[in-house]
Amino acid sequence: MGASLPTLQFPDVPVPLYDNALLCASTAEIYEETSHRAATIVANKFKTVHAPTTGPTPQEMATKINHVDLHLPLGTTEESFAELNDLYLKDAVYFHDTKYAAHLNCPVALPAVVAENFVTSINTSMDTFDQSAAATHIERKLVDFTASLIGYDSVQADGIFTSGGTQSNLQAMLIARNTATAKLKGPLPQRLANLRIYCSEDAHFSIRNAAMLLGLGYEAAVAISTDAQHRMDAQALRAQLIL
Ligand SMILES: Cc1ncc(COP(=O)(O)O)c(C=O)c1O
């Protein structure tokens, strides 16, 4: 990448046009070389990091990130890697460290990281078969296989891989909402307005957010009190149900 770049002129903001930024035949070697370099940087981190965190404060991080001028091109890939190290890698939380136990991040599976290379570089669109070819069938096969591992009937069962808990809660509540509204009578807004989600007061906030996104409103998620072990109080739930 050259230091002085031609620019696209948006109304007020000049946007630099990078050479060799698109992944194609003429940049295949650059892709290979920079990907290898990136993998080496990550591998070296794992070999040299000896604690899960450096303990940065939010203010320290904000100051560093706010200092970046996104209009100023760095010029070289090496400079980008150096900036990445300074802003992100140096103080990242390494939950791969065996002493890390603070959150619920699952360990990173090595084959998944390698597979990510194929997924992001080929960037298959999964919305229609003419764009996805084998990828559609790979997804279907993996969904069926996962369902069979759980013990579900692979013909009856269906599924989708999600990004995590928030999306899974939304997906589950969408199915529940549609099943519930199909059983009720009357205009749809009225049927939606009558639905409630009873969850423990310790439930993740994604439940309330999903209720809002599904057109039920935040208030549709009713928090039920818990005992000292954070178990939902069954009496309190009963009281809410018979209100
Ligand atoms: C019970 C529960 N639901 C949902 C989530 C949100 O998950 P994610 O961050 O993967 O969207 C969490 C995350 O802590 C959780 O503990």
Side-chain angles (χ1 to χ4, degrees):
M1 294 177 191
S4 82
L5 297 163
T7 56
L8 263 182
Q9 199 65 41
F10 276 76
D12 314 313
V13 189
V15 176
L17 286 175
Y18 290 95
D19 296 333
N20 299 328
L22 294 183
L23 181 51
C24 55
S26 63
T27 55
E29 274 179 27
I30 298 174
Y31 162 73
E32 194 179 349
E33 196 263 314
T34 45
S35 300
H36 189 263
R37 179 89 183 89
T40 304
I41 291 171
V42 175
N44 283 338
K45 275 285 161 204
F46 287 139
K47 288 182 202 163
T48 54
V49 163
H50 298 299
T53 180
T54 58
T57 67
Q59 291 75 15
E60 283 163 357
M61 290 287 98
T63 305
K64 280 177 98 169
I65 303 296
N66 289 338
H67 195 68
V68 175
D69 182 351
L70 292 175
H71 293 297
L72 270 188
L74 285 173
T76 66
T77 308
E78 275 316 304
E79 283 173 274
S80 302
F81 282 145
E83 185 184 68
L84 179 76
N85 185 55
D86 183 44
L87 296 179
Y88 175 59
L89 297 176
K90 197 153 70 66
D91 299 300
V93 175
Y94 288 89
F95 55 86
H96 320 70
D97 190 289
T98 48
K99 293 189 285 300
Y100 182 88
H103 296 98
L104 43 67
N105 308 49
C106 52
V108 174
L110 181 52
V113 179
V114 177
E116 199 64 40
N117 230 310
F118 295 91
V119 172
T120 51
S121 54
I122 296 170
N123 199 25
T124 296
S125 170
M126 300 286 287
D127 50 351
T128 55
F129 178 77
D130 63 313
Q131 299 171 88
S132 69
T136 293
H137 293 285
I138 292 171
E139 183 186 34
R140 297 237 49 83
K141 180 115 181 152
L142 287 173
V143 167
D144 289 348
F145 177 69
T146 307
S148 74
L149 287 182
I150 298 168
Y152 292 154
D153 179 309
S154 64
V155 179
Q156 292 282 319
D158 208 343
I160 188 165
F161 294 104
T162 66
S163 60
T166 302
Q167 213 187 337
S168 298
N169 285 339
L170 177 65
Q171 180 77 20
M173 286 168 60
L174 171 69
I175 294 167
R177 183 200 70 175
N178 290 353
T179 307
T181 46
K183 287 180 183 162
L184 298 171
K185 302 230 174 323
L188 186 60
Q190 191 188 321
R191 282 184 276 157
L192 290 174
N194 286 333
L195 295 179
R196 294 290 175 278
I197 300 122
Y198 296 99
C199 54
S200 119
E201 64 185 358
D202 292 336
H204 194 262
F205 57 81
S206 57
I207 299 287
R208 289 181 74 222
N209 286 348
M212 182 271 291
L213 286 171
L214 293 169
L216 310 178
Y218 283 118
E219 309 71 30
V222 180
I224 307 294
S225 54
T226 54
D227 65 16
Q229 277 82 46
H230 301 280
R231 294 173 301 194
M232 187 187 279
D233 179 345
Q235 296 300 338
L237 174 64
R238 183 173 292 113
Q240 277 290 342
L241 289 173
I242 57 176
L243 267 183

